[in-house]
Amino acid sequence: MQTIYLVGPTAVGKTAVALELAGRLNAEIVSADSMQVYRGMDIGTAKPTADELRRVRHHLVDVCTVTEVFDAQRFVTLATAAIAEIQARGRTALVVGGTGLYVRALRQGLFAGPGRDPALRQRLESMDVAALAAELAQCDPVSFAQIDRQNPRRLVRALEVFHTTGQSIRQLQQEWNAPVTEPIIGLERDRPELVARIEQRIEQQMAAGWLAEVQRLREQGIEQNPTAMQAAGYRELLAHLRGELTLSAAIDLIKTRTRQLAKRQMTWFRREAGLLWLALKKHETAATTAARIAEEI
């Protein structure tokens, strides 16, 4: 029995479509979202609601606390076990999410790269984002041109790989190709429509109590977890709570960075082997989209 993948940028509508598609395929959903694994990070990650979780069984949602580090290796281990369990019950595994690294690692195997150099890692982690980006631009312009320059974790890893191997992490990742046959569907919308959906969702998240959620997570120690701190919107709202940004400035920055995130996600998935894109119409229902996907696969 095949595993089916449903991917796309943030706010494109993956959750609603996945619920409909799961019903059609007798499937259970395996989340491929690097932030929905954290308990308490609910509103800001657009985590499925309690009703949605009851409607279709989900895996890899709420599996760790905000103080735990969760990475691609742990995702692959847990997702592989979940898929085996789902298929053992005679059901289909539907992997859904926008974290491209997790999807590729699960489909094609994990790109491990060289091991960590503790001394080098300590030096890099003591640097701020601007200094990391400047060093990467100088020594590895190929990676610099494609990387998220606001993500210190990725900047550190790219520099670590370069200084350890003398090669660009992008060059090594190009060798990370294994044959894949499982269906993978990508959802896309016209850019202006996607931007409008992103901004509307952020307003709804704020109205639903996102700031209070971030305050609770701050008290639980989220600021000590560099992985969880990369979640879109959380670091901006934490900056507001620390008095570094006004609330309106934080919200504007969240919208900007979420638009940038969606663009990066599209760029990543356009390089994904065997992906079939499905363009969604503005008023197309999730049920209609699910029916189109079912026909394709």
Side-chain angles (χ1 to χ4, degrees):
M1 187 173 295
Q2 286 184 312
T3 300
I4 298 167
Y5 293 78
L6 181 67
V7 302
T10 187
V12 76
K14 296 183 296 295
T15 297
V17 172
L19 291 167
E20 293 288 343
L21 187 59
R24 285 178 171 270
L25 301 178
N26 188 33
E28 296 177 20
I29 293 172
V30 178
S31 172
D33 186 299
S34 61
M35 298 302 159
Q36 290 186 0
V37 297
Y38 289 108
R39 289 190 288 276
M41 294 179 69
D42 303 331
I43 297 171
T45 65
K47 191 176 291 180
T49 65
D51 286 343
E52 290 168 340
L53 292 171
R54 283 191 291 269
R55 177 178 166 187
V56 174
R57 185 172 178 181
H58 285 64
H59 302 260
L60 273 74
V61 172
D62 291 342
V63 298
C64 61
T65 70
V66 293
T67 58
E68 294 179 62
V69 175
F70 192 96
D71 58 18
Q73 179 64 69
R74 187 173 176 189
F75 168 77
V76 170
T77 299
L78 294 179
T80 300
I83 290 169
E85 177 192 336
I86 292 165
Q87 294 178 340
R89 293 198 299 271
R91 309 194 75 186
T92 297
L94 178 59
V95 180
V96 182
T99 303
L101 173 63
Y102 284 14
V103 170
R104 188 174 298 174
L106 187 57
R107 294 180 77 224
Q108 299 181 252
L110 187 66
F111 167 74
R116 296 185 177 189
D117 180 323
L120 175 61
R121 175 59 69 107
Q122 184 176 16
R123 177 181 76 81
L124 294 173
E125 289 184 342
S126 70
M127 298 164 62
D128 62 24
V129 170
L132 290 167
E135 183 171 333
L136 186 64
Q138 183 176 15
C139 68
D140 184 3
V142 173
S143 293
F144 177 78
Q146 301 176 47
I147 204 165
D148 176 4
R149 299 169 200 171
Q150 299 299 318
N151 188 324
R153 186 164 51 96
R154 292 186 181 176
L155 290 166
V156 165
R157 184 55 176 160
L159 283 165
E160 187 174 47
V161 169
F162 182 85
H163 287 309
T164 303
T165 69
Q167 292 181 281
S168 167
I169 192 172
R170 297 302 182 197
Q171 180 181 349
L172 294 174
Q173 286 172 337
Q174 286 175 0
E175 303 169 7
W176 179 28
N177 287 308
V180 287
T181 59
E182 296 160 330
I184 177 167
I185 307 295
L187 303 182
E188 63 177 344
R189 295 181 185 270
D190 290 339
R191 180 68 180 176
E193 181 189 354
L194 183 62
V195 167
R197 288 174 62 91
I198 287 170
E199 296 191 352
Q200 180 183 37
R201 187 172 76 176
I202 289 168
E203 294 291 344
Q204 292 171 341
Q205 289 169 319
M206 292 304 301
W210 191 5
L211 185 60
E213 174 178 289
V214 173
Q215 177 60 55
R216 289 194 298 272
L217 292 169
R218 187 186 189 194
E219 294 166 1
Q220 294 170 21
I222 188 174
E223 289 171 295
Q224 280 67 59
N225 186 342
T227 303
M229 282 292 288
Q230 297 308 313
Y234 284 83
R235 64 186 180 213
E236 293 80 11
L237 291 178
L238 283 162
H240 165 67
L241 291 172
R242 291 193 299 266
E244 299 166 8
L245 289 173
T246 66
L247 184 56
S248 61
I251 293 171
D252 287 343
L253 192 53
I254 292 169
K255 290 177 179 178
T256 297
R257 288 180 172 169
T258 306
R259 291 193 299 267
Q260 293 168 344
L261 168 63
K263 185 176 181 179
R264 291 194 302 273
Q265 288 173 312
M266 290 297 294
T267 299
W268 178 288
F269 286 125
R270 290 195 192 286
R271 297 195 296 262
E272 196 65 29
L275 189 147
L276 174 65
W277 285 105
L278 201 67
L280 304 187
K281 299 171 185 173
K282 187 171 184 177
H283 300 296
E284 181 174 328
T285 66
T288 299
T289 305
R292 291 172 62 194
I293 294 171
E295 289 178 8
E296 291 287 351
I297 61 176

